[in-house]
Amino acid sequence: MNTYTLKVIEIKKETGNTVTLCFKQPGLKKIKYLAGQYLTLVFKINGRRYLRPYSFSSAPKVDSSLEVTIKRVPNGIVSNYINDEVKVGDVIEVLPPMGDFIYPIVSNIKNVFLWGVGSGVTPLFSLLKFILNEESLSDTQVHLIYGNHNIESSIFWDALHILQQKYSDRLQITHFHTCSQQKENTAISILGRIEPHQVLRNYESDKIKESLHYICGPSDLKNNIKTVLAKYDLPKENVLIEDFELVKNPKDFDGIETRKVILNFENKETELEVTKGKSILEAALDAAIELPYSCQTGNCSTCKGQLKGGKGKMIGIQERKDLLEDEYLLCCTYPLTNNVYIEI
Ligand SMILES: Cc1cc2nc3c(=O)[nH]c(=O)nc-3n(C[C@H](O)[C@H](O)[C@H](O)COP(=O)(O)OP(=O)(O)OC[C@H]3O[C@@H](n4cnc5c(N)ncnc54)[C@H](O)[C@@H]3O)c2cc1C
Ligand code: FES
């Protein structure tokens, strides 16, 4: 896959553990992207190459630079490296923008709900700016429902406040704070976790039936929203979900053992030991085989390989109708037998 390099022109400290990297748009070959997509950053850390996707927090036609916002993950290799080491002037390798957490090309939707927690606000912030700025969507209402510990840990708190004032007739923000110092519920924030039914009961059901929902947050939030929305018979395509992390059910690993796998990458065969619990992609990267990948959540298909022998199992992803019978996404594939042969 082609890669580009982008120069960091500014770093914004968003909260105690989150920064925004602002990249200069190349003068000649501008990077084209859609609000809600992500950019994959490539780093060499202690001799090993790491790729990590980060959603754009900028929006095309709104922000002149390309921006991604990165929150530290405890013990996370890349998120902490970015927060600690990346400086203005650094040149960073990136993959072309990807992702389908985007606004539909044709839509007559009048109410868009953006549900997010913590760093999950990043693609929502991009979508929110895009919708508010887009002339053809000037009669679309945007409802952001945003959960955090408190005001201090809320990424884009000030920027959201400014947008709310500017677009007071089109943008409604409901903040939920689990550890706010405010003792009582106020107009600014509601104490506790996001309660979808509490939010949606403020709207007429006709409005909700024709609304569009973007969700980027933990699986319990996702499931709660889906349960509440099920009552409104919304078309499936009106609920879009972005997962930052693959949630695996330990039960799915029953029967999975450490196995030997033959990997044929670019016509070179390597025997890999895939230890129990590791995906074939992880085992290959541990063995310094630089397979292509990006999201590691079974979404982008960059890591697609063909199973030519033995049996494998994909864990943690939704059914993918676009994959042929022998096609497997190696970021979530685990060998079930000892004679697995993968070609990529
Ligand atoms: C499509 C997509 C868009 C993303 N956009 C953003 C974004 O805009 N901003 C952002 O900060 N992150 C975003 N992420 C997450 C990001 O790509 C990395 O997964 C995250 O920064 C952790 O990487 P790491 O190298 O620091 O952690 P690793 O070293 O890879 O992981 C360390 C440990 O943390 C756990 N972990 C990994 N990711 C997460 C996570 N997101 N939350 C909690 N625990 C985790 C792992 O299970 C592991 O145990 C996105 C992910 C995807 C798939
Ligand atoms: S890396 Fe994106 S699907 Fe595997």
Side-chain angles (χ1 to χ4, degrees):
M1 188 179 285
N2 286 340
T3 59
Y4 313 87
T5 51
L6 292 175
K7 190 170 181 182
V8 180
I9 50 169
E10 190 187 349
I11 300 181
K12 298 183 215 166
K13 186 100 185 138
E14 301 289 355
T15 67
N17 59 8
T18 305
V19 291
T20 293
L21 301 183
C22 310
F23 296 108
K24 188 176 171 10
Q25 260 286 17
L28 287 176
K29 275 197 165 177
K30 294 227 181 308
I31 305 258
K32 288 196 184 130
Y33 70 103
L34 298 170
Q37 285 194 307
Y38 60 85
L39 192 66
T40 306
L41 309 191
V42 183
F43 291 96
K44 199 138 206 181
I45 304 170
N46 297 327
R48 183 165 162 175
R49 198 164 180 260
Y50 293 93
L51 284 78
R52 294 287 183 274
Y54 291 103
S55 302
F56 283 102
S57 47
S58 55
K61 292 200 248 168
V62 177
D63 300 291
S64 55
S65 54
L66 301 160
E67 300 181 13
V68 287
T69 301
I70 298 101
K71 181 175 177 179
R72 286 181 197 270
V73 164
N75 304 317
I77 295 167
V78 175
S79 58
N80 288 292
Y81 178 86
I82 294 173
N83 273 270
D84 293 332
E85 305 293 337
V86 173
K87 303 179 297 302
V88 170
D90 285 359
V91 172
I92 294 174
E93 188 182 352
V94 303
L95 265 51
M98 287 185 245
D100 47 13
F101 194 62
I102 53 175
Y103 203 77
I105 299 166
V106 183
S107 144
N108 56 0
I109 294 286
K110 296 288 170 267
N111 284 281
V112 178
F113 289 80
L114 308 170
W115 305 84
V117 168
S119 59
V121 73
T122 306
L124 307 180
F125 190 50
S126 173
L127 283 158
L128 177 152
K129 288 190 283 184
F130 163 77
I131 299 166
L132 294 174
N133 185 60
E134 189 64 26
E135 233 170 83
S136 61
L137 302 175
S138 60
D139 55 353
T140 304
Q141 296 283 318
V142 182
H143 313 271
L144 172 70
I145 304 100
Y146 183 22
N148 279 289
H149 289 305
N150 51 27
I151 294 177
E152 289 71 36
S153 63
S154 303
I155 305 169
F156 311 133
W157 177 267
D158 290 337
L160 285 169
H161 188 63
I162 292 168
L163 284 169
Q164 198 172 21
Q165 285 178 327
K166 183 172 172 191
Y167 296 98
S168 55
D169 54 338
R170 292 182 57 209
L171 173 64
Q172 287 88 47
I173 306 181
T174 313
H175 291 279
F176 281 83
H177 290 154
T178 46
C179 318
S180 185
Q181 276 141 14
Q182 292 159 307
K183 288 276 183 292
E184 290 166 25
N185 292 349
T186 68
I188 296 177
S189 63
I190 296 172
L191 200 55
R193 288 169 180 273
I194 295 179
E195 291 292 350
H197 68 273
Q198 189 182 349
V199 174
L200 292 177
R201 74 177 171 211
N202 296 323
Y203 297 90
E204 292 154 25
S205 66
D206 281 354
K207 262 191 185 175
I208 301 171
K209 274 183 185 153
E210 291 177 1
S211 54
L212 185 59
H213 296 257
Y214 291 84
I215 311 170
C216 190
S219 46
D220 55 348
L221 172 72
K222 209 164 60 182
N223 294 337
N224 287 345
I225 298 171
K226 283 205 266 182
T227 308
V228 176
L229 289 180
K231 294 178 202 149
Y232 297 93
D233 274 341
L234 270 177
K236 215 174 151 208
E237 60 274 15
N238 284 26
V239 182
L240 289 93
I241 291 169
E242 186 75 305
D243 287 318
F244 279 7
E245 209 197 349
L246 204 60
V247 180
K248 301 168 204 151
N249 182 347
K251 275 197 168 163
D252 289 337
F253 286 84
D254 286 352
I256 292 192
E257 299 297 338
T258 298
R259 306 270 184 195
K260 296 266 196 258
V261 165
I262 305 285
L263 181 69
N264 183 333
F265 175 47
E266 294 176 339
N267 294 325
K268 191 172 172 233
E269 281 186 359
T270 311
E271 187 182 70
L272 284 181
E273 183 173 80
V274 183
T275 36
K276 186 177 174 176
K278 287 219 174 193
S279 67
I280 294 179
L281 173 73
E282 285 172 303
L285 297 175
D286 285 350
I289 301 170
E290 292 190 351
L291 292 186
Y293 73 101
S294 170
C295 70
Q296 295 196 70
T297 54
N299 181 268
C300 71
S301 302
T302 313
C303 65
K304 188 164 72 184
Q306 281 168 309
L307 184 78
K308 299 282 187 185
K311 281 190 179 161
K313 179 181 179 187
M314 286 194 280
I315 293 180
I317 64 164
Q318 306 286 333
E319 197 193 343
R320 290 273 306 254
K321 292 206 170 93
D322 56 319
L323 294 176
L324 300 176
E325 209 181 318
D326 65 345
E327 287 181 333
Y328 281 74
L329 302 172
L330 302 188
C331 64
C332 38
T333 301
Y334 299 80
L336 288 175
T337 55
N338 253 336
N339 56 345
V340 167
Y341 188 100
I342 296 277
E343 210 170 86
I344 176 167

